[in-house]
Amino acid sequence: MSVSQRPKTTEHQLFFDVIQERRSVRSFDPGIIISREELTETLRQATLAPSAANLQPWRFLVIDSPELKQKLLPIAFNQQQVVEASAVIAVLGDVECYKWAEKIYGMAVDADFMPAETAKSFVERYTGMYSNMSSEAIHQKVYTDGGLVSMQLMLVARAKGYDTVPMGGYDKQKFMEAFRISERYVPIMLIAIGKAAKSGHPTVRLAVDDVTFFNEMPEE
C-alpha cells in the first residue's frame, strides 16, 4: 500500500480539518478575551517551527491593551480587526539572531542533542557567517523564518478554536516608531487573533496541476 493509499487516522483527519477550516477573519467578537497564558501557549507551540540553523529569529510583540490597539488602528489603515480582535501579534525578525547561538546550542548540549564540540563549532560558524552577511541576505533569512512561524501560529490558533488574519497592510515605519522598536528588528506581519464574529469567506485555489511541476519547469 502506498503512502497516499493509507487510511487516514483520526489524528490525521483532525490536522486536515484545522488546515481546511482556517480562514482569514476580518470581523472579530470584541467581547472575547484570550488570556495571556493561552496566548503564551499558542506562541510556544508556534515556535516549534523550523528556522535556518535553528537560530529562531522570530520575536513577538503582543498588543492586547485596548489603548495600544487604538494607537495601532490608524497605523493599520483603520482595519477594524485591530481593535475587535483579542490581540494583535506583531511578528518581528531579529537580524542579530546569531547572538543567541551560544545559548541555543548550549541548550542542545544540555539536552544531549549534540556534543559540546559540535555546538562550539556551530557557534563559531554561524556567528561568523551571520555577522558578515549582507543586510539583504540576512533580511531574506528572517523573512523566510518569520513566514514559517507565522503560518504555524495561525494553525495552532485554529486548532485551539481561535481565528486569525495575517496583515501586511500597515505602515511599517510608523509602526516601528510608534512602538519604539529598534532597527535590530524587521517587521514581518501583524496577526490579529480572537473569535470570529463573522466566518471568513471560503476562497478558491489554483489547481495543483497549475502550480506544480516535476523535475523541470515548463516553457513559457
Side-chain angles (χ1 to χ4, degrees), residues 29-44:
D29 182 345
I32 298 297
I33 305 299
I34 305 175
S35 71
R36 289 190 172 182
E37 290 77 14
E38 188 80 32
L39 288 168
T40 299
E41 175 58 19
T42 299
L43 290 168
R44 189 187 70 79

Side-chain angles (χ1 to χ4, degrees), residues 61 71-72 75 90-93 139 170-188 190:
L61 176 61
K71 181 179 180 178
L72 178 59
I75 295 172
V91 182
L92 309 169
H139 276 65
Y170 63 103
D171 189 316
K172 295 178 174 58
Q173 186 58 44
K174 287 183 179 178
F175 171 73
M176 299 290 279
E177 292 170 358
F179 288 86
R180 295 183 296 177
I181 301 170
S182 77
E183 293 183 357
R184 173 171 174 165
Y185 306 100
V186 295
I188 307 295
L190 304 178

Side-chain angles (χ1 to χ4, degrees), residues 2-121:
S2 70
V3 172
S4 61
Q5 293 172 321
R6 291 176 184 166
K8 296 176 183 176
T9 66
T10 301
E11 290 80 6
H12 287 159
Q13 187 56 54
L14 288 173
F15 176 70
F16 297 142
D17 289 345
V18 166
I19 293 174
Q20 293 166 13
E21 292 171 2
R22 185 208 60 80
R23 296 282 187 273
S24 291
V25 168
R26 290 174 175 81
S27 181
F28 290 86
D29 182 345
I32 298 297
I33 305 299
I34 305 175
S35 71
R36 289 190 172 182
E37 290 77 14
E38 188 80 32
L39 288 168
T40 299
E41 175 58 19
T42 299
L43 290 168
R44 189 187 70 79
Q45 294 287 345
T47 59
L48 297 175
S51 62
N54 195 32
L55 289 177
Q56 306 161 54
W58 43 69
R59 304 291 179 262
F60 308 104
L61 176 61
V62 180
I63 301 168
D64 62 0
S65 156
E67 293 77 16
L68 290 179
K69 287 192 288 182
Q70 285 290 344
K71 181 179 180 178
L72 178 59
L73 183 62
I75 295 172
F77 309 133
N78 295 310
Q79 297 178 78
Q80 284 302 303
Q81 62 263 31
V82 166
V83 291
E84 292 175 348
S86 180
V88 177
I89 300 172
V91 182
L92 309 169
D94 182 359
V95 299
E96 297 180 11
C97 58
Y98 61 88
K99 293 182 177 179
W100 288 82
E102 188 170 356
K103 179 174 183 176
I104 290 169
Y105 295 126
M107 291 168 63
V109 172
D110 293 341
D112 292 327
F113 291 162
M114 68 172 59
E117 283 304 310
T118 301
K120 182 175 181 293
S121 69

Side-chain angles (χ1 to χ4, degrees), residues 54 103 158 160 162 205:
N54 195 32
K103 179 174 183 176
R158 179 84 291 271
K160 287 177 168 290
Y162 299 116
R205 292 292 187 269

